[in-house]
Amino acid sequence: MKKISLKKYGDFITVRFLLASKMRPSLLLLLSDSKRDLNDFREELEKPSASILHGLKELERINLIEKDFKNYSLATKGILCSTSLEKLFQDLYIFQINRDFWQNHSIDSIPVDSFRKSYLLKDSVFVESDEHNLSKAFNKYLDLISACGDMKIILPIFLEEHLEIILENLENGDNLLLITNDDVFSSLKL
């Protein structure tokens, strides 16, 4: 993977400007859906007009939004920023809702490029086995993969049941993208 040069990104002025406020990112994200007027913002944000207008003027000043009579919309730069913000917030949300999983599992063997698509985990559910049902997570996993078509699987361990269900699905003409480590891959090749 390419190393990122921080010099080429300058001092992140726009990012700092946006994230230093609760109002500015909220306004941008609301505008990513459609044009809005002040009343729309007041209803959505439940904030006073003065606070909203202040945020809108700040975003307009740095060319992220445009005003056409009473309606506000995203400028080209604003479309790019709102899209990036939405992805960032989705990623942070994903890591927040499954905090226990991310804090208690090593991600060393997951390719870094996989995290560029972490938004795909937005509907994920963390299932943890307990002392009463040691196979709870595994059974849920088997239910899910037996009911799906095309699969993208991160397989950190190998059990024969994994392979059986994966092969059954592939017989139906479905596709498989498998991310695993060397030890599991060696077991699969046998």
Side-chain angles (χ1 to χ4, degrees):
M1 188 172 137
K2 238 193 250 185
K3 189 146 184 141
I4 294 176
S5 168
L6 293 179
K7 289 180 184 177
K8 83 176 183 181
Y9 295 115
D11 59 4
F12 304 96
I13 291 172
T14 303
V15 175
R16 286 190 327 204
F17 174 78
L18 289 173
L19 297 180
S21 156
K22 276 184 143 179
M23 180 65 68
R24 292 184 290 249
S26 298
L27 294 169
L28 271 183
L29 292 173
L30 286 172
L31 286 172
S32 68
D33 289 337
S34 64
K35 290 183 177 184
R36 296 187 185 255
D37 65 15
L38 184 58
N39 288 329
D40 295 331
F41 289 119
R42 272 199 315 261
E43 285 177 23
E44 280 287 332
L45 300 172
E46 299 176 353
K47 298 285 182 186
S49 296
S51 299
I52 295 168
L53 285 170
H54 179 73
L56 290 168
K57 285 182 181 167
E58 290 177 323
L59 293 171
E60 194 174 10
R61 185 174 43 82
I62 64 165
N63 301 316
L64 293 180
I65 65 169
E66 301 168 332
K67 184 178 180 188
D68 179 28
F69 188 55
K70 290 185 176 183
N71 291 313
Y72 294 89
S73 62
L74 292 174
T76 301
K77 184 178 171 186
I79 292 170
L80 297 172
C81 285
S82 70
T83 302
S84 297
L85 269 178
E86 190 169 347
K87 168 114 176 54
L88 173 65
F89 290 160
Q90 283 176 350
D91 287 347
L92 293 173
Y93 174 75
I94 287 162
F95 298 127
Q96 179 66 32
I97 61 170
N98 292 318
R99 181 185 303 175
D100 289 343
F101 174 82
W102 296 107
Q103 287 179 343
N104 297 316
H105 289 81
S106 171
I107 60 170
D108 295 342
S109 60
I110 300 174
V112 175
D113 284 347
S114 296
F115 292 109
R116 295 187 198 286
K117 296 179 182 177
S118 58
Y119 64 91
L120 294 172
L121 299 171
K122 71 181 182 304
D123 296 323
S124 65
V125 176
F126 178 54
V127 179
E128 188 174 21
S129 297
D130 55 39
E131 61 188 44
H132 303 292
N133 186 355
L134 296 176
S135 60
K136 182 178 178 181
F138 181 69
N139 290 334
K140 180 67 173 175
Y141 175 78
L142 291 179
D143 288 345
L144 290 171
I145 66 170
S146 64
C148 71
D150 292 346
M151 293 183 279
K152 296 181 179 182
I153 299 174
I154 298 173
L155 194 58
I157 61 170
F158 176 71
L159 292 171
E160 187 115 359
E161 290 86 353
H162 288 143
L163 188 56
E164 289 173 17
I165 290 183
I166 290 168
L167 291 175
E168 282 175 22
N169 281 18
L170 292 176
E171 287 174 3
N172 298 330
D174 297 321
N175 296 308
L176 170 68
L177 170 64
L178 184 63
I179 299 171
T180 191
N181 59 35
D182 291 336
D183 293 335
V184 172
F185 185 68
S186 298
S187 298
L188 289 172
K189 290 193 315 188
L190 296 176

